[in-house]
Amino acid sequence: MTEIDYQMHIYAASRAGLLEKIAAAMSAKRFEHVLRVEEMALRLAECWGVPAELASLAALVHDYAKERPDADFLLVIEQEGLDPTLRDWGNNVWHGVVGAELVKSELGIMHEEILDAMRQHTVGAAHMTKLSQILYMADYIELGRTFPGVEEVRALAFDDLAASVGWQTQHTLKYLIEKSVPVYPGTLTTYNAWSV
Ligand SMILES: [Fe+2]
Ligand SMILES: [Fe+2]
């Protein structure tokens, strides 16, 4: 079990209480995924010199909103005055980009770098901090993932983090196109910024 005490200015309440709230927001299966993402994010953070507590918190909250009904996201888009074109997308985009607002209001996490990592964890961004890159990759390569090539990209994330971000983005884009699924413009921006 991971033992991390968060500094007051980063998260002012206890890890145990946070875990309880996160577990209550999702299925047991998803909560296990979240804990595996945290484990991988901590390994990557150690490798790339990012503070463990930031990696831990970003990983723990990243899928907090994944199981919320669409209506919750549509309400937040309106109330927070987020980009109205977000309405055209769905849970895949919303649970990060819009879900970060719920993490602020319901979990009290206000650290912008953590929130940005959460916002970017599915779609990426042209500019991503090391923390954002770590969460983006940890979600993709956590030890429960078994897709073809996972071992290759897992090794790459520890060898060249930016190249692994490009690898993931390219594979995700290929997958979406093969499935004839619309591509969120932010994903294309990420592809153009990170792929060689
Ligand atoms: Fe997610
Ligand atoms: Fe996830």
Side-chain angles (χ1 to χ4, degrees):
M1 190 69 191
T2 312
E3 288 296 337
I4 294 180
D5 287 325
Y6 305 119
Q7 292 177 67
M8 284 296 285
H9 71 283
I10 293 177
Y11 183 61
S14 78
R15 173 181 172 84
L18 180 64
L19 286 177
E20 230 169 79
K21 286 185 199 165
I22 291 165
M26 61 188 66
S27 68
K29 201 175 156 205
R30 189 175 313 281
F31 186 60
E32 283 164 24
H33 157 71
V34 164
L35 294 179
R36 288 194 303 269
V37 174
E38 185 194 28
E39 199 186 314
M40 186 58 74
L42 287 170
R43 287 196 210 176
L44 286 167
E46 197 186 355
C47 177
W48 296 110
V50 166
E53 60 185 330
L54 298 185
S56 160
L57 284 167
L60 290 180
V61 301
H62 86 281
D63 275 345
Y64 173 72
K66 181 78 185 173
E67 297 181 17
R68 300 287 277 251
D70 290 358
D72 285 19
F73 295 111
L74 292 167
L75 191 66
V76 172
I77 292 168
E78 194 191 317
Q79 284 178 340
E80 300 298 322
L82 304 183
D83 177 358
T85 65
L86 278 168
R87 295 178 60 87
D88 302 337
W89 298 90
N91 181 283
N92 257 348
V93 170
W94 292 339
H95 81 279
V97 177
V98 184
E101 303 305 316
L102 298 169
V103 161
K104 262 201 249 182
S105 60
E106 296 175 10
L107 300 180
I109 289 179
M110 312 306 263
H111 194 285
E112 275 301 322
E113 200 187 338
I114 292 173
L115 295 169
D116 275 343
M118 178 183 175
R119 290 183 182 109
Q120 296 165 1
H121 87 268
T122 323
V123 296
H127 299 284
M128 295 166 80
T129 62
K130 276 253 155 60
L131 178 67
S132 271
Q133 296 173 52
I134 283 171
L135 179 60
Y136 187 75
M137 292 317 300
D139 191 25
Y140 192 60
I141 62 168
E142 55 95 340
L143 293 176
R145 303 288 194 200
T146 56
F147 57 85
V150 68
E151 279 162 24
E152 181 196 336
V153 66
R154 211 174 260 144
L156 185 60
F158 287 88
D159 188 48
D160 185 339
L161 184 60
S164 74
V165 169
W167 197 104
Q168 175 183 172
T169 309
Q170 188 173 354
H171 281 73
T172 301
L173 200 52
K174 269 192 208 161
Y175 172 81
L176 295 173
I177 290 166
E178 274 162 19
K179 278 188 35 173
S180 303
V181 169
V183 176
Y184 180 65
T187 303
L188 289 172
T189 304
T190 308
Y191 172 75
N192 288 333
W194 293 89
S195 290
V196 279

